[in-house]
Amino acid sequence: MVANLASMKLVIGLGNPGADDEMKLVVGLGNPGVEYERTRHNVGFRVVDKLAARHGWKWNERRGRAILASGNLGLEKVVLAKPLTYMNLSGEAVGELVRWYKLQPEDVLVVYDELDLPVGKIRLRSGGSAAGHNGMQNIIRHLHTNTFPRLRIGIGHPTNSHIQGKDHVLSTPPLDERILLEQSEDRAVEAIELAITQGIATTMNLVNADPEEAKRKEEERQRKLKERQERERLKREKQRDKSQSTSGEDAE
């Protein structure tokens, strides 16, 4: 689906876009510090790290309270950002970047973890509420709007009812979950590339599609096609039999 984007070519161009330049800002949410690197809460950081590594972009710039990597994706200038404010104050860093680059909300894509999605699932939306995510709440407050795209990476709720949500997001998942998360991070990278080059609406249709539902729809389509072909075959046979019967009568 979006995996074909792996073959894309990229022209790298570093620098500060001006007000007249077209660009997109992709913000990965997380907490700075080695102790948080592998936690569930830092999935946003890992996604933008993977995107930068995929295209050879370097984290060699700092603007306000965020570190940046940048380049061009197709005809679009792209800036990746990792806020250094810690999760709950992410909006302070994002607000500074939006004002500096003179961006519209629709030019900002935020990538973050989502408790309400099963581990390994990803969902792309063009806007919406924070749904209890503190980092997103702070971004909405500083941008004064919730109408900006966001890519959510499922981390699932704790399976143990005694574990608090805060402890869950700030802990490192076990191996089986890590494998699922790494796979979803890779899909998220491809989704970001597609969203930038093809647009949010097109990408949502691909990324948010349920594979099982798509399989069921295809099976139903094939079943209806076979039924139609069978009806047409029977109709042709009936017409042929009628034609042969008429020919026989004429011969008599």
Side-chain angles (χ1 to χ4, degrees):
M1 186 170 63
V2 294
N4 291 335
L5 290 170
S7 62
M8 291 183 62
K9 300 297 183 183
L10 188 73
V11 179
I12 296 177
L14 299 179
N16 291 331
D20 297 329
D21 292 327
E22 294 292 330
M23 68 161 284
K24 301 294 183 185
L25 175 66
V26 181
V27 182
L29 298 191
N31 289 308
V34 176
E35 66 271 31
Y36 298 109
E37 281 183 359
R38 304 314 305 168
T39 64
R40 296 176 174 89
H41 223 18
N42 269 42
V43 67
F45 271 19
R46 292 195 294 274
V47 168
V48 292
D49 276 337
K50 286 185 175 184
L51 181 56
R54 178 175 171 123
H55 298 296
W57 300 352
K58 304 299 182 183
W59 296 96
N60 57 4
E61 185 180 351
R62 178 166 176 168
R63 172 66 54 188
R65 285 170 281 186
I67 58 173
L68 312 176
S70 59
N72 291 334
L73 189 55
L75 299 177
E76 201 81 56
K77 187 178 292 292
V78 180
V79 174
L80 308 180
K82 294 192 290 186
L84 300 175
T85 54
Y86 289 93
M87 181 66 79
N88 292 355
L89 299 177
S90 297
E92 296 181 3
V94 176
E96 291 173 352
L97 292 172
V98 168
R99 289 189 294 273
W100 168 258
Y101 290 112
K102 297 180 173 62
L103 298 174
Q104 297 301 313
E106 60 267 24
D107 295 322
V108 181
L109 173 60
V110 182
V111 188
Y112 62 100
D113 58 297
E114 176 59 77
L115 282 165
D116 290 333
L117 280 178
V119 178
K121 297 289 185 181
I122 68 174
R123 288 293 182 272
L124 179 66
R125 292 287 184 267
S126 58
S129 70
H133 192 283
N134 292 333
M136 283 297 288
Q137 285 178 344
N138 197 251
I139 292 174
I140 290 171
R141 182 161 68 86
H142 281 269
L143 295 187
H144 309 292
T145 181
N146 64 0
T147 56
F148 55 87
R150 70 283 311 274
L151 182 60
R152 299 176 295 150
I153 316 295
I155 61 171
H157 286 282
T159 54
N160 187 332
S161 60
H162 297 294
I163 298 177
Q164 298 296 316
K166 178 181 178 181
D167 296 329
H168 180 65
V169 300
L170 292 178
S171 62
T172 302
L175 179 60
D176 57 340
E177 284 189 31
R178 284 207 305 274
I179 292 173
L180 290 174
L181 273 178
E182 287 174 3
Q183 292 172 346
S184 65
E185 290 164 11
D186 292 340
R187 292 198 305 275
V189 168
E190 295 172 346
I192 293 168
E193 293 171 329
L194 188 59
I196 291 171
T197 58
Q198 301 296 324
I200 292 294
T202 298
T203 309
M204 284 195 296
N205 290 334
L206 295 173
V207 171
N208 299 339
D210 185 338
E212 291 301 319
E213 180 64 21
K215 181 180 178 181
R216 286 193 295 270
K217 287 183 178 179
E218 177 61 20
E219 290 174 347
E220 179 66 12
R221 189 185 72 82
Q222 291 293 338
R223 183 184 66 79
K224 290 182 178 179
L225 176 62
K226 289 180 179 179
E227 288 179 352
R228 185 169 68 252
Q229 290 173 337
E230 180 64 14
R231 287 196 300 268
E232 291 173 352
R233 185 186 67 81
L234 292 173
K235 183 179 179 180
R236 288 194 300 270
E237 287 185 355
K238 185 176 180 179
Q239 290 175 339
R240 185 173 62 250
D241 291 344
K242 182 178 179 180
S243 176
Q244 290 174 349
S245 176
T246 302
S247 299
E249 291 175 357
D250 291 342
E252 292 175 358

